[in-house]
Amino acid sequence: QMQKEQKSAAALNQKRDIAIQKTESLRSMISELDFNQDDYTSLDQEKDQLTTSIEELSGMVEALTAQLESRLAFDYADPVRGFDRSKVKGIVAKLINVHNPEHATALEVVAGGKLFQVVVDEAITGKAILDRGKLQRRVTIIPLDKIQPRRVTGSACNKAEEIAKKLDANAWPAIELVGFDEEVRAAMEYVFGASIIVDDSKAANQICDLTKTRTVTLDGDVYDPSGTISGGSKSSLGSTLSE
């Protein structure tokens, strides 16, 4: 099983590297072209799609790596003598409570690889841990004093509820389906704040189209404002947040 997951991680890394190369190639092409608005718009959209793919693949790689190396464990050495360990809040997955187990799969998809990132109080704390914490695996740090929260607008939430009601469905901002200490709100809004969870695929599709907001169904299917739809196997989804 571990070898299979290692191969999956390697394959995802390869796809990510290819996407990065394509992104850099597009940037080079844009700089060399005689400016044409239509060409620029087309290339810019493709660049955004590739950037999104890179982020998603990076998240998947982090998730698989975390699974291979005790995904919910974060061990580190004190970076300085007398270090205050309360500065390290912990892994995102351990900092939240899922109100309803039925939402676990959708919330895992919303969070992606960020579920295994580590929240700290300040960027200087994160840097100290990365430099002198003797970490055994790669880790992404979320510093509360620097992270930019993401939020679904109030108008988008209202529109989503209106659409869902007409289709006899329900829609919730993902952030409202998890519990957490207010101390880490900025990190949780960064992880969960930009998506809406919907319990019906037709409603999810319409909400995405009309509010330009990323929606995720209870089965983990994703409707993205860029026009992409993703889904499929969900055999292992929800296992982390339902524990």
Side-chain angles (χ1 to χ4, degrees), residues 12-63:
L12 286 170
N13 269 317
Q14 185 177 15
K15 289 182 180 179
R16 180 185 61 182
D17 291 340
I18 292 172
I20 291 173
Q21 290 174 6
K22 287 184 177 179
T23 300
E24 294 302 323
S25 176
L26 283 170
R27 285 176 178 161
S28 177
M29 290 172 64
I30 289 173
S31 65
E32 294 174 3
L33 284 173
D34 291 330
F35 183 79
N36 178 285
Q37 185 62 51
D38 291 340
D39 289 341
Y40 175 84
T41 300
S42 176
L43 287 170
D44 196 51
Q45 289 176 344
E46 187 172 353
K47 182 200 73 173
D48 288 342
Q49 291 174 354
L50 286 169
T51 299
T52 298
S53 296
I54 291 170
E55 292 177 350
E56 291 177 352
L57 288 168
S58 295
M60 292 172 71
V61 168
E62 284 192 11

Side-chain angles (χ1 to χ4, degrees), residues 69-143:
E69 301 176 10
S70 187
R71 59 186 177 182
L72 295 180
F74 178 60
D75 299 318
Y76 66 95
D78 289 351
V80 295
R81 182 176 298 178
F83 177 72
D84 181 2
R85 286 193 162 230
S86 70
K87 291 176 175 290
V88 180
K89 309 307 175 184
I91 290 175
V92 169
K94 286 190 170 183
L95 294 175
I96 62 172
N97 294 311
V98 177
H99 298 319
N100 186 336
E102 290 183 359
H103 301 146
T105 293
L107 288 167
E108 244 180 77
V109 171
V110 168
K114 295 184 183 70
L115 200 62
F116 307 101
Q117 295 179 1
V118 178
V119 180
V120 301
D121 63 340
E122 298 176 335
I124 191 171
T125 300
K127 188 174 189 307
I129 290 173
L130 291 177
D131 289 346
R132 300 185 296 277
K134 299 180 181 178
L135 303 179
Q136 299 302 306
R137 62 180 175 87
R138 290 190 61 82
V139 172
T140 298
I141 302 289
I142 303 177

